[in-house]
Amino acid sequence: MSSHQILQFRSDPFVVSPCCLHICPKVSPKPSLPFQWRRSHHAGVRSSTKKKTHCNLKNETPVTETAKRVYPFHEIEPKWQRYWEDNRTFRTPDDVDTSKPKFYVLDMFPYPSGAGLHVGHPLGYTATDILARLRRMQGYNVLHPMGWDAFGLPAEQYAIETGTHPKTTTLKNIDRFRLQLKSLGFSYDWDRELSTTEPDYYKWTQWIFLQLYKRGLAYQAEVPVNWCPALGTVLANEEVVDGVSERGGHPVIRKPMRQWMLKITAYADRLLEDLDELEWPESIKEMQRNWIGRSEGAELDFTVLDGEGQETDKGITVYTTRPDTLFGATYMVVAPEHHLLSYFVTPEQKQQVEEYKDFASRKSDLERTELQKEKTGVFTGCYAKNPANGDAIPIWVADYVLASYGTGAIMAVPAHDTRDNEFALKYNIPIKWVVRNEASSSDEVYPGMGIIENSSSVETGLDINQLSSKEAALKVIEWAERTGNGKKKVNYKLRDWLFARQRYWGEPIPILILDESGETIAVSESELPLTLPELNDFTPTGTGEPPLSKAVSWVNTIDPATGKPAKRETSTMPQWAGSCWYYLRFMDPKNPEALVDKEKEKYWSPVDVYVGGAEHAVLHLLYSRFWHKVLYDIGVVSTKEPFKCVINQGIILGEVQYTAWKDQEGNYVSADTEERLNEYQQVTIPEDKVMKSGDHFVLKEDASIRLIPRAYKMSKSRGNVVNPDDVVLEYGADSLRLYEMFMGPFRDSKTWNTSGIEGVHRFLARTWRLVIGSPQPDGSFKDGTVVTDDEPTLEQLRSLHKCIAKVTEEIESTRFNTGISGMMEFVNAAYKWNNQPRGIIEPFVLLLSPYAPHMAEELWSRLGHSSSLAYESFPKANPDYLKDTTIVLPVQINGKTRGTIEVEEGCSEDEAFSLASQDKKLEKYLEGQSIKKRIYVPGKILNVILNKTNVKVTTK
């Protein structure tokens, strides 16, 4: 049964459309209320003087706020949130019973932005909370913490614009995030809360940096950065849009600057090999493999020729994965930033080359390597010698080659590389085919493998004709190593990690630079944390020096070891730093003596389930794995990998927006009739003016005008952000939690629909009434329950245990939506019963609790329990009640099959006939008729033969 079908209960139904749980009649959502009001509401403060009203679109009569509250979530939820906080219900003790199994479930560190949460954020948080609550009830020691990745650019930008210290803004944002998370009932251990901005935390971030520095894994190098002359600062990649600064639209260039780097490339092989051991989605592992980009090939040396064609002492080394195509190299390309470029530019070409370097510096690496972009370049005026055949080939400078990949230079083989071919055709460079493939024509680019041709030289002694590409590559490498023209080489796309930002709001780098020699000295570990100095001016210096350089008394210092004058490093660490290792600090957050206690780390490592967005699938996970492996090598951690299982939740998109187009006269243009829609004015059509027509959406007023429906990622700029505070106020936290899990498969993207939450809200209301009973005339509910102490029937036990099995399996498989479906099926069945036995209802309440903890706690309390259900044993399915003992029995009337009924195995003839006579479909054939005889074959068929006697059938 589908999740949407399940909502259509036989008893107390609500009307559901086939898509997105649209509820009819639709009640307009209330306008957003100020956050301050929401805050007091969530703290349990209620207004008794004002009753909010809503317009019922069906009959236009106001509906009071009290009437809309189909169960008292507004009282229940603040009550249990206070209980959990006052009793520290979800605190994980520092010293746990290590004989018990552990479960460490973690959300990816959120950045506490000023905008607060939108409804997309709780998706992952709800999932991890359900898992945490399940495991607690299954007897595990559960570690489920929360903290803040709070250093970063937005707070600093706000500080520059307003003069507000980033710390002030950050603490305010954290307070809001914490309040919002608590309002959703997440079972975090708030005693372990931490922030990357706390000196007690970043002391250990700095300590890890020092371990990297001592092992040669942290070093300085000249690397290109995004420099904005107008703003006088280095910009992060996300601050540069289409070659200009996001703030102000000023031109941005690539400028070399001395920066701190981390040698992640030293761990490339281990980062690649250990992926195979991880329970991660294959797509994430493949993204990491591609980012690391291991390839095997050769480094080949090309000698630079002078103006008379004679060899010089200068050479260009290239890396290639296709040494078999060496004879096809008809030109070379070096990156504009290549360190030797100035040595092989002729005076005649110098101005053109310098202009081109300036042109290329205004592009990002992504723009430069875009496959679809037009190739550009400038001839240097010099040539190099192809080592395979002695040919003099021109050296060009072009921006489609990056200094950061390989050697910053390539041998260009235009017959067998698409980019090289486009470049050669544009600049009339010769093309030479050296790989034959029968399926391709002789004049088109062929990048694949084949049989080598046109690849022999008596002068160099290299002949690879008629060899396969693989054989030829091995022979070229052997020849190059023997003759001194190159060597076998393993290369990686992975670059060392740029680990410095010219910003204030970040972890200070614990390094001193001696004034006399420029030598870098590590700050003593005993002096950590090296704290940020207080600054009132966070604006860029205009010189490229970081803002910390303004703290002169902090910068100028003395090296304690030598007594020599020194300066502190004024760049700060990137935001990635604090989030690389926070999962370890959660295990032992208050330890002043060590990053993490060895025994605690050994017990809790690795993280069992790590949940977050796919946008972190590469860099964050890669950087965390790198740091973890370094810590493993120095004995701080006991596992090779930090995260056992990684899950990426889908994105919740904003509500569907409908787009139409108008021509210059203001007439609508159908989306399916014009190819040049971009020439027309784009307009958004309100949902109430749209209707479905077949597979398409059209204007109600003119069905010939087709519209384009699309859901976009939530953003303030689109105005489609839904605040969870408003949803909680209207429907309650349990309804929001349940709806986000019910929208669809956890890993898939889905579209938010505010009206859709009404469906799960009514399910919770039905669950409430099932246990508590119907409301009193004033809309309130009496204390206690309608639960009885009767012994459960076999039917009730089977229904319960099927639900237990379903919910348990679906939670553990993170199929949360179908777990909810199982509970809905149970409630459907329970409404048909004459009683609600305690032995059935109490286990069901425990099943509900991971999803809707506030309601479950209240029901548990009303069922007579004095303490929280958080640590009650989660129900286990009894296999005896899971056996399907029912069969489908065909029913014939006068030998013709008229329907089927479900009967128990071993059902008697009278029982089968009784069920048949009560079936709505069969009733019309039997009502008022007389029977000649009944033919019953147990488990096979029931055939009722009618006659015209006066013996009447009783169907009721």
Side-chain angles (χ1 to χ4, degrees), residues 243-383:
V244 298
S245 61
E246 185 178 36
R247 183 165 58 93
H250 303 295
V252 175
I253 63 172
R254 299 284 281 172
K255 173 182 176 181
M257 185 175 288
R258 195 158 182 81
Q259 300 278 29
W260 282 98
M261 309 289 292
L262 297 188
K263 201 169 185 179
I264 189 173
T265 51
Y267 282 74
D269 280 329
R270 288 168 63 183
L271 289 168
L272 195 61
E273 292 163 3
D274 292 346
L275 281 171
D276 295 335
E277 302 175 15
L278 300 176
E279 298 175 22
W280 293 14
E282 193 56 40
S283 59
I284 296 180
K285 293 199 283 188
E286 192 60 26
M287 288 170 70
Q288 293 221 347
R289 290 187 188 105
N290 291 338
W291 191 267
I292 296 168
R294 186 182 190 276
S295 61
E296 295 183 1
E299 278 188 352
L300 300 172
D301 299 324
F302 289 68
T303 302
V304 177
L305 304 177
D306 61 21
E308 297 180 356
Q310 300 300 310
E311 295 184 12
T312 69
D313 59 354
K314 302 296 182 185
I316 302 174
T317 300
V318 303
Y319 171 77
T320 178
T321 58
R322 293 296 302 275
D324 57 310
T325 63
L326 179 56
F327 281 91
T330 59
Y331 69 102
M332 299 192 73
V333 179
V334 296
E337 306 86 4
H338 196 283
H339 65 289
L340 292 177
L341 178 58
S342 60
Y343 290 104
F344 40 80
V345 176
T346 62
E348 295 81 9
Q349 293 296 107
K350 184 175 182 180
Q351 182 176 347
Q352 285 191 56
V353 170
E354 290 300 321
E355 290 174 354
Y356 185 78
K357 286 171 62 178
D358 181 67
F359 165 77
S361 72
R362 301 179 187 277
K363 296 182 181 181
S364 69
D365 288 354
L366 187 63
E367 291 173 303
R368 285 171 55 174
T369 54
E370 175 61 46
L371 292 177
Q372 276 69 44
K373 85 174 188 72
E374 183 182 2
K375 304 299 181 289
T376 62
V378 173
F379 178 42
T380 65
C382 279
Y383 292 80

Side-chain angles (χ1 to χ4, degrees), residues 266-570:
Y267 282 74
D269 280 329
R270 288 168 63 183
L271 289 168
L272 195 61
E273 292 163 3
D274 292 346
L275 281 171
D276 295 335
E277 302 175 15
L278 300 176
E279 298 175 22
W280 293 14
E282 193 56 40
S283 59
I284 296 180
K285 293 199 283 188
E286 192 60 26
M287 288 170 70
Q288 293 221 347
R289 290 187 188 105
N290 291 338
W291 191 267
I292 296 168
R294 186 182 190 276
S295 61
E296 295 183 1
E299 278 188 352
L300 300 172
D301 299 324
F302 289 68
T303 302
V304 177
L305 304 177
D306 61 21
E308 297 180 356
Q310 300 300 310
E311 295 184 12
T312 69
D313 59 354
K314 302 296 182 185
I316 302 174
T317 300
V318 303
Y319 171 77
T320 178
T321 58
R322 293 296 302 275
D324 57 310
T325 63
L326 179 56
F327 281 91
T330 59
Y331 69 102
M332 299 192 73
V333 179
V334 296
E337 306 86 4
H338 196 283
H339 65 289
L340 292 177
L341 178 58
S342 60
Y343 290 104
F344 40 80
V345 176
T346 62
E348 295 81 9
Q349 293 296 107
K350 184 175 182 180
Q351 182 176 347
Q352 285 191 56
V353 170
E354 290 300 321
E355 290 174 354
Y356 185 78
K357 286 171 62 178
D358 181 67
F359 165 77
S361 72
R362 301 179 187 277
K363 296 182 181 181
S364 69
D365 288 354
L366 187 63
E367 291 173 303
R368 285 171 55 174
T369 54
E370 175 61 46
L371 292 177
Q372 276 69 44
K373 85 174 188 72
E374 183 182 2
K375 304 299 181 289
T376 62
V378 173
F379 178 42
T380 65
C382 279
Y383 292 80
K385 176 183 175 182
N386 185 328
N389 54 21
D391 290 351
I393 58 177
I395 304 171
W396 287 72
V397 56
D399 64 3
Y400 75 89
V401 174
L402 301 177
S404 58
Y405 180 66
T407 64
I410 65 166
M411 64 176 207
V413 186
H416 304 292
D417 182 274
T418 303
R419 292 185 306 170
D420 295 347
N421 183 266
E422 292 173 1
F423 192 91
L425 290 174
K426 180 175 180 178
Y427 294 106
N428 297 313
I429 300 173
I431 299 174
K432 180 180 178 181
W433 278 264
V434 295
V435 181
R436 182 176 74 253
N437 180 266
E438 303 301 336
S440 62
S441 63
S442 59
D443 59 349
E444 65 181 20
V445 181
Y446 175 65
M449 302 292 187
I451 301 301
I452 305 301
E453 62 183 8
N454 302 322
S455 299
S456 176
S457 171
V458 175
E459 290 80 4
T460 63
L462 180 59
D463 181 0
I464 55 175
N465 279 334
Q466 302 308 310
L467 296 179
S468 69
S469 291
K470 185 175 181 180
E471 293 170 327
L474 293 174
K475 188 169 182 179
V476 169
I477 293 172
E478 184 274 327
W479 168 85
E481 291 180 334
R482 176 166 44 82
T483 59
N485 285 302
K487 61 183 179 180
K488 183 178 181 179
K489 178 72 173 178
V490 174
N491 200 37
Y492 301 90
K493 288 182 183 177
L494 180 66
R495 302 292 91 197
D496 280 345
W497 178 5
L498 175 59
F499 196 74
R501 298 291 184 270
Q502 285 63 55
R503 296 289 177 182
Y504 168 73
W505 193 232
E507 299 93 337
I509 296 176
I511 292 291
L512 304 180
I513 301 98
L514 296 182
D515 287 354
E516 289 183 1
S517 63
E519 180 185 357
T520 56
I521 305 292
V523 170
S524 170
E525 292 179 14
S526 63
E527 296 181 25
L528 300 180
L530 174 61
T531 57
L532 277 171
E534 290 293 327
L535 280 184
N536 295 320
D537 180 11
F538 317 103
T539 57
T541 60
T543 64
E545 286 292 314
L548 276 179
S549 63
K550 298 177 182 180
V552 178
S553 61
W554 181 85
V555 172
N556 294 318
T557 186
I558 300 294
D559 173 26
T562 64
K564 295 180 179 179
K567 289 183 172 56
R568 299 191 189 278
E569 173 60 63
T570 52

Side-chain angles (χ1 to χ4, degrees), residues 866-899:
S866 59
S867 59
S868 168
L869 54 64
Y871 295 92
E872 291 292 328
S873 294
F874 199 75
K876 293 182 180 180
N878 185 333
D880 292 339
Y881 297 123
L882 301 180
K883 297 173 183 176
D884 193 357
T885 60
T886 62
I887 59 174
V888 176
L889 185 72
V891 178
Q892 295 182 341
I893 308 294
N894 291 334
K896 187 171 183 179
T897 301
R898 296 296 188 179

Side-chain angles (χ1 to χ4, degrees), residues 749-820:
S749 294
K750 38 252 175 191
T751 303
W752 178 265
N753 190 309
T754 300
S755 61
I757 199 172
E758 187 81 22
V760 293
H761 186 58
R762 291 198 179 189
F763 162 69
L764 288 174
R766 293 188 79 239
T767 302
W768 176 262
R769 292 194 300 276
L770 180 72
V771 181
I772 302 301
S774 299
Q776 301 181 96
D778 64 354
S780 64
F781 292 86
K782 63 182 181 180
D783 294 336
T785 70
V786 296
V787 172
T788 71
D789 291 322
D790 299 340
E791 284 295 317
T793 66
L794 181 61
E795 177 192 355
Q796 291 170 334
L797 288 168
R798 283 177 176 167
S799 184
L800 171 67
H801 284 271
K802 285 181 181 178
C803 185
I804 293 172
K806 177 77 170 177
V807 172
T808 305
E809 179 183 355
E810 302 306 79
I811 292 178
E812 292 183 340
S813 302
T814 65
R815 295 189 294 263
F816 304 106
N817 57 323
T818 48
I820 296 170

Side-chain angles (χ1 to χ4, degrees), residues 615-675:
E615 66 272 18
H616 301 301
V618 177
L619 293 183
H620 163 61
L621 290 175
L622 200 61
Y623 293 157
S624 292
R625 294 180 63 222
F626 165 46
W627 275 29
H628 192 88
K629 290 183 183 301
V630 174
L631 294 174
Y632 176 77
D633 289 347
I634 63 177
V636 174
V637 298
S638 59
T639 63
K640 293 192 295 183
E641 289 286 340
F643 313 117
K644 181 180 179 181
C645 173
V646 170
I647 301 174
N648 291 141
Q649 80 267 23
I651 297 172
I652 293 184
L653 303 172
E655 297 203 49
V656 174
Q657 297 179 354
Y658 301 93
T659 303
W661 285 264
K662 287 185 175 182
D663 60 21
Q664 292 181 348
E665 287 73 39
N667 300 314
Y668 283 110
V669 178
S670 181
D672 65 330
T673 58
E674 294 287 342
E675 295 182 358

